[in-house]
Amino acid sequence: MTKPKLLIVGAGGVGQVTVHKAAQFRAEFGGIVLAARNADKLAAIAQEVQERWAAPGEGPLIETMVIDARNLEDVKRVISETGAQILINVASPYCNETLLDACLATGTHYLDTALGEDEHVEDIKAPWYSYVEWPRREKFAGKKLNAFLGMGFDPGVVNIFCAHARKHHFDSISSIDIIDVNAGSHGRYFATNFDADVNLREVKEDVITWEKGAWKTIPHHSEWMDVTLPQVGSHRVYSMGHDELQSLAYTFPGTERITFWMGFGEHYLKVFNVLDNLGLTSSIPVEVDGVEVAPNRFVKALLPDPSSLAPDYQGKICIGCDIRGMKDGQEKRLFIWSNCDHAENYEEVGSQSISYSTGVPVITAIRLMANGTWNPETMTHMEELDPDPFLKLMPETGIDWHETELPLDGSWPFTKPGAA
Amino acid sequence: MTKPKLLIVGAGGVGQVTVHKAAQFRAEFGGIVLAARNADKLAAIAQEVQERWAAPGEGPLIETMVIDARNLEDVKRVISETGAQILINVASPYCNETLLDACLATGTHYLDTALGEDEHVEDIKAPWYSYVEWPRREKFAGKKLNAFLGMGFDPGVVNIFCAHARKHHFDSISSIDIIDVNAGSHGRYFATNFDADVNLREVKEDVITWEKGAWKTIPHHSEWMDVTLPQVGSHRVYSMGHDELQSLAYTFPGTERITFWMGFGEHYLKVFNVLDNLGLTSSIPVEVDGVEVAPNRFVKALLPDPSSLAPDYQGKICIGCDIRGMKDGQEKRLFIWSNCDHAENYEEVGSQSISYSTGVPVITAIRLMANGTWNPETMTHMEELDPDPFLKLMPETGIDWHETELPLDGSWPFTKPGAA
């Protein structure tokens, strides 16, 4: 591919970061198209991108197209009309199946940041990739098309951190704890940082985690630990099912435990538990006055638009991998992580860090796909590719990363800046 | 009226108690019709009434009719077909206007237990009776028809307690505090004791209360006090707007303060506040995926049916009036109250005490209307009638009442049974 044209599908928080970052590195691409449902939103984003990134006198940096991302024919039409070579799926996970099929039908490379989901089905069995993605792997390989799965931060960069650890730091890996803490404050009573319906369902579902070399299912929020992480300090984090476990369990064979931990504050848990106990987190529609509405969709309609949180968001996030294993016959524990700062990210691209930390890895990977560095010509999980070029390019694209050995006793030697 | 035929409209919790009590005192009526939307529900209630109250070999105690209580023509049809002389409105408050007009059109006496409400309008200004009820008063008088407004317990019996206090205990009344505590437990995570949409709105609305001889509006739950009441012990009660204030302020001129207080436990408040902060208590429809749904209707669809709580309900309620004034030149404080026991009421009529304490006063008043004791031949608030026959008849109909002088210092000399 020489300077491929990008088709970014989805104009939510992640879509906005992705298109800003694509515009920033536009010299590496043959064009940028942003496609979503809402024409007004598209126009507003296009104007914002132009004002922020265009040189004086430079023409339009991006094109926009209205698309119905759940309609196969419409997606094929947009791909055909734009002539895009890479489709970047940052739409809702309900669109994955259609977007994958449109890429197969049109010979288009693909990238997404989250597993495909069925809107009204809950608690699907592991492995989650066996429903939508893996059945299409041979088709992508047959057409020599790239499909990068789960290429945000988590999943995405954390998978690459694991690949980096395996390549450079360990002879064998015994456990991987992926930890995601958002220590930021949006100042609202309650809000989710990405689509509320997707987020509430993700948090409410039974936790599927990898332990003693097998899948284990436990109730949500039933296992937790207290951690102290760089820049964000001490937090209680709860075991949660998450996309990356669903590939790492297979790409890191022999690893005893692979667990994802998400930080939740007391207030979030109070509100979430009320919603959950009342059935308001469910994605199964209920009948109200003659119409069918899914509770999580109803709650979403009442909550703030996640992208509206950005202007007031303060504080930092920390996402990292706490990895244990053996190196040269010695036990070793390594932590690899990134921080983002909500206000800094807003200053740069007008988005909060949850969106920023997803969109920057997307464009980092797309830069590698565009210049041929990452070209597996098949569907791939991100830990299956060489981590080195990605980790070299991510800081330049917008996010630094760090690594340090940690005490084997499980303690956390970090202190929050300003803390004693 | 010689043994009038009753048309009971509404088959919710109160409707069920009302029809059971009507059946119990059926010798005083010329027939009993239960009308509601749901034919299956009607059939189930009719069977239950028959099994509980019919003598061996006795024919059907009640008739049932399907009705659309918001459709004037349909209500007129049902009145005409049944030949009822008294319509008892225990349907939702959204039906009041239609049911009042149907009574006027057909020359039928009327009774309800709550103010008429517009489903999607909030925080209407005082006096609340000036919208639906009072504009029809002259029409009822012109046709010599009775319309008993707000004839449940609160409003209803508490208004009669006030009339009793004025008639027998005070020369002048300076303050009335109506206090409603449900110390029962239904064992569910969260439930309302009557229609959730009506209840949530009632609790969420700004509080309109009568203070220093004028209406005062304050945020909900912003004023409270701690009380210790007979049988139920100590509770925190919160000032709330309530129907009875809207008539007592006019029928008890010169009374400085008339306030309604409702007990809320910490768990109820936690859940309510989450719902309220998220906008889930609102009755104003929002658009979700192309359809319009009012949040309080959506929450109602997820909560337990109030009548389903009855089998497991344990504990008691206490509703009373704490009245201050002058008698023979001396300050005086009087408390008049009733208790009900959820399990006892369930044993008797298959309903919990919130429904029971509303339905029993309905039939007490209907017995007085039926035998001509209460026959004002106009629309009336219950405190405008002679309280004596009602308070004599209510114990026989199912609920005792009590009165005692209380210390002028505001203290509560009651102890909960079993407490030290």
Side-chain angles (χ1 to χ4, degrees), chain B residues 45-116:
Chain B
I45 295 171
Q47 185 181 341
E48 169 79 14
V49 167
Q50 195 70 19
E51 288 169 2
R52 203 176 280 252
W53 301 108
E58 190 174 5
L61 301 193
I62 71 167
E63 305 165 49
T64 60
M65 297 276 282
V66 171
I67 196 171
D68 177 356
R70 299 203 210 186
N71 180 317
L72 181 61
E73 292 310 313
D74 200 49
V75 178
K76 284 160 65 179
R77 172 190 66 81
V78 170
I79 293 173
S80 162
E81 289 182 12
T82 58
Q85 282 96 43
I86 303 175
L87 184 150
I88 300 173
N89 170 11
V90 283
S92 101
Y94 313 138
C95 308
N96 286 21
E97 196 158 4
T98 301
L99 295 175
L100 282 162
D101 285 342
C103 285
L104 284 172
T106 56
T108 308
H109 298 287
Y110 174 89
L111 176 149
D112 67 33
T113 67
L115 267 151

Side-chain angles (χ1 to χ4, degrees), chain B residues 1 4-8 18 21-22 25 28-29 31-32 85-89 109-112 146 148 151 359-374 382 390 393 397:
Chain B
M1 281 185 284
K5 187 168 185 179
L6 310 182
L7 171 59
I8 300 167
T18 302
K21 281 291 167 183
F25 295 98
E28 302 172 27
F29 310 121
I32 302 164
Q85 282 96 43
I86 303 175
L87 184 150
I88 300 173
N89 170 11
H109 298 287
Y110 174 89
L111 176 149
D112 67 33
N146 298 322
F148 291 0
M151 185 54 254
V360 168
V362 165
I363 290 301
T364 307
I366 289 295
R367 295 175 70 191
L368 294 174
M369 198 198 293
N371 68 21
T373 305
W374 268 3
M382 303 322 298
F390 183 93
L393 200 60
T397 314

Side-chain angles (χ1 to χ4, degrees), chain A residues 119 189-190 270-271 273-275 277-280 286-289 291-295 297-299 301-303, chain B residues 119 189-190 270-271 273-275 277-280 286-289 291-295 297-299 301-303:
Chain A
E119 187 164 357
Y189 176 75
F190 186 78
K270 181 186 83 170
V271 174
N273 285 331
V274 167
L275 293 176
N277 276 304
L278 295 179
L280 283 159
V286 296
E287 193 195 316
V288 183
D289 297 338
V291 299
E292 297 258 326
V293 181
R297 298 287 297 174
F298 193 84
V299 171
L302 296 176
L303 292 181
Chain B
E119 187 165 357
Y189 177 74
F190 186 78
K270 181 186 83 170
V271 175
N273 285 331
V274 167
L275 293 176
N277 276 305
L278 295 178
L280 283 159
V286 296
E287 193 195 316
V288 183
D289 298 338
V291 300
E292 297 257 326
V293 181
R297 297 287 296 174
F298 193 84
V299 171
L302 296 176
L303 292 181

Side-chain angles (χ1 to χ4, degrees), chain B residues 224-243:
Chain B
W224 66 85
M225 61 179 183
D226 293 321
V227 298
T228 303
L229 303 183
Q231 303 283 333
V232 298
S234 298
H235 293 270
R236 179 157 291 181
V237 296
Y238 296 79
S239 179
M240 216 173 104
H242 223 241
D243 297 14

